[in-house]
Amino acid sequence: MGYFTKFGDFQFDVLREIGNIGAGHAATALSKLMQKEIDMKVPQVSIIPFDQVADCVGGAETVVVTVFLRVEGDSPGNMFFILDMDSAKHLLHQITGIEKDVYEWEELEVSALHEIGNILTGSYLSSLADFTQLNLQPSVPALAVDMAGAILSYGLIELGQAGDVALTIDTAFFEGNEKVKGNFFLIPDPESLPILFRALGVPFDGN
Amino acid sequence: MEIIKIGMADLGVAKAPSRLRTTGLGSCVGVVLYDSIHKIAGMAHVMLPESSLAKGGELTVGKYADTAIPFLIDQMEKAGASTRHLVAKLAGGAQMFAFLGNNDTMRIGPRNVEACKLALKDAQIKIVAEDTGGNCGRTIEMDATNGVLQIRTVNQGVKEV
């Protein structure tokens, strides 16, 4: 568990606010792309065993479309933009006019989803960088369509060397009629948390 | 028949007619061992190659190839299996995000597979089947009655080894 246990309500509030700001900007970007209203749920900040990380998107075997990027710079971590298959299909249709069965995607469709993911994760990250005044750079984002457990475990490799639990900032969003819904996940590396807190002037003596 | 679920960085042993199952293997490797004489199966869901990567804290033995495999063998012996009868099968170790391949962390799948093979070689256990690498997630289920390992992927359906 390490210093996760030393977090108080205030620290959790700050992490939720990070989710709010980042995902808020990303949701605005998505809303512009789709020309539809996008709502957001209150970000969930959880400290969960590795096994349960995939539960919030329907379990380890649920097939999802994910854009993943590694956050590099002052406060490294992993970021995921996750859509279920039906949502990805609707999103694709909404933005590009392409209407295809989810199992018939070709390069063009996959590349469109990839680009949408890039825009949204980029927007999350840059608003976070502005807010914290930290230097945060995205790696080249990568896309995968596969089991949620297999994909999300990539976000746990760094954490796995330090413990058995992950701190996730999960923000769910949905379009008015819930035809498109998904999640933004930020999983900061453990050593990034004190840096984030310091940048935001939050007292924390977890070291 | 009971299905015993093995979580990430976990391991377990089953006797016939029970089954062992682990879901959503990405870069992780599912190592299964089988003693066909005593009909005892073991499974580990290995996440990282070496315990030397651990940064302090308590060591979770099931997490690392070099600690999980000897511990699994030990647990199986306690359950009545004998090491000289054991054979191994491997699944997983994928690279889910192909073009991040240069980064050492992202190459974790192949490194996990190599580390498992090394640990099995040290224990003088033969690998009789392998479905590793690629870029797809896998769910595996092992039947302790006959040692058959079922491997399910999203795009290629189910196969048995």
Side-chain angles (χ1 to χ4, degrees), chain B residues 60-139:
Chain B
T60 310
V61 288
K63 194 187 288 177
Y64 307 93
D66 65 338
T67 49
I69 290 171
F71 189 74
L72 182 61
I73 295 168
D74 195 49
Q75 294 294 101
M76 289 182 72
E77 277 189 339
K78 281 186 183 143
S82 73
T83 308
R84 63 195 168 87
H85 292 140
L86 291 181
V87 292
K89 294 179 183 178
L90 297 179
Q95 213 167 317
M96 304 296 295
F97 299 98
F99 62 91
L100 294 171
N102 296 328
N103 180 315
D104 215 32
T105 303
M106 295 308 144
R107 244 187 52 77
I108 198 79
R111 285 170 58 203
N112 279 337
V113 175
E114 285 158 29
C116 287
K117 287 184 178 170
L118 195 67
L120 288 168
K121 195 177 163 207
D122 284 348
Q124 297 181 322
I125 293 174
K126 195 176 157 200
I127 300 168
V128 292
E130 180 182 350
D131 179 39
T132 59
N135 57 5
C136 60
R138 295 169 173 93
T139 282

Side-chain angles (χ1 to χ4, degrees), chain A residues 2 8 15 18 23 34 51 62 95 105 109 117 142 145 151 153 165 182 186 201:
Chain A
L15 294 171
I18 285 174
M34 290 182 70
D51 256 342
T62 310
I95 295 179
W105 287 339
E109 287 95 59
V145 182
I151 289 176
S153 65
V165 292
L186 178 64

Side-chain angles (χ1 to χ4, degrees), chain A residues 17-197:
Chain A
E17 193 51 26
I18 285 174
N20 240 332
I21 290 173
H25 279 80
T28 307
L30 180 61
S31 165
K32 282 184 185 154
L33 278 172
M34 290 182 70
Q35 300 179 320
K36 292 246 164 128
E37 207 163 301
I38 301 290
D39 288 320
M40 228 171 74
K41 292 188 179 150
V42 178
Q44 298 287 317
V45 176
S46 341
I47 294 164
I48 38 181
F50 290 161
D51 256 342
Q52 292 164 24
V53 170
D55 288 355
C56 25
V57 291
E61 284 193 281
T62 310
V63 180
V64 291
V65 177
T66 303
V67 172
F68 163 67
L69 62 85
R70 173 94 187 130
V71 181
E72 284 151 6
D74 293 338
S75 167
N78 297 294
M79 187 179 288
F80 296 90
F81 165 63
I82 301 174
L83 290 173
D84 63 53
M85 296 297 274
D86 279 337
S87 294
K89 183 180 155 181
H90 282 291
L91 184 62
L92 206 52
H93 178 59
Q94 195 67 241
I95 295 179
T96 63
I98 300 170
E99 196 161 12
K100 265 199 177 169
D101 192 59
V102 284
Y103 294 103
E104 290 171 7
W105 287 339
E106 284 158 37
E107 212 178 318
L108 175 72
E109 287 95 59
V110 171
S111 133
L113 284 170
H114 197 165
E115 191 49 36
I116 294 165
N118 289 357
I119 294 170
L120 302 183
T121 48
S123 156
Y124 190 125
L125 198 61
S126 64
S127 67
L128 185 56
D130 285 348
F131 173 58
T132 57
Q133 296 288 304
L134 290 170
N135 172 23
L136 302 174
Q137 294 140 1
S139 71
V140 179
L143 178 129
V145 182
D146 215 307
M147 299 176 189
I151 289 176
L152 281 167
S153 65
Y154 265 77
L156 307 175
I157 294 166
E158 296 288 331
L159 287 159
Q161 298 168 21
D164 297 314
V165 292
L167 182 142
T168 59
I169 305 174
D170 170 21
T171 317
F173 64 89
F174 54 94
E175 185 219 337
N177 55 14
E178 303 229 357
K179 273 197 170 156
V180 173
K181 51 187 195 313
N183 299 66
F184 288 104
F185 263 89
L186 178 64
I187 308 181
D189 288 0
E191 56 272 24
S192 291
L193 291 160
I195 299 167
L196 280 172
F197 288 142

Side-chain angles (χ1 to χ4, degrees), chain B residues 23-91:
Chain B
T23 53
L25 288 166
S27 58
C28 299
V29 175
V31 182
V32 297
L33 300 178
Y34 189 59
D35 174 342
S36 58
I37 309 289
H38 299 97
K39 301 206 183 297
I40 296 173
M43 181 184 283
H45 183 137
V46 170
M47 195 178 168
L48 292 163
E50 287 157 32
S51 53
S52 59
L53 291 167
K55 297 171 187 159
E58 239 173 83
L59 188 78
T60 310
V61 288
K63 194 187 288 177
Y64 307 93
D66 65 338
T67 49
I69 290 171
F71 189 74
L72 182 61
I73 295 168
D74 195 49
Q75 294 294 101
M76 289 182 72
E77 277 189 339
K78 281 186 183 143
S82 73
T83 308
R84 63 195 168 87
H85 292 140
L86 291 181
V87 292
K89 294 179 183 178
L90 297 179

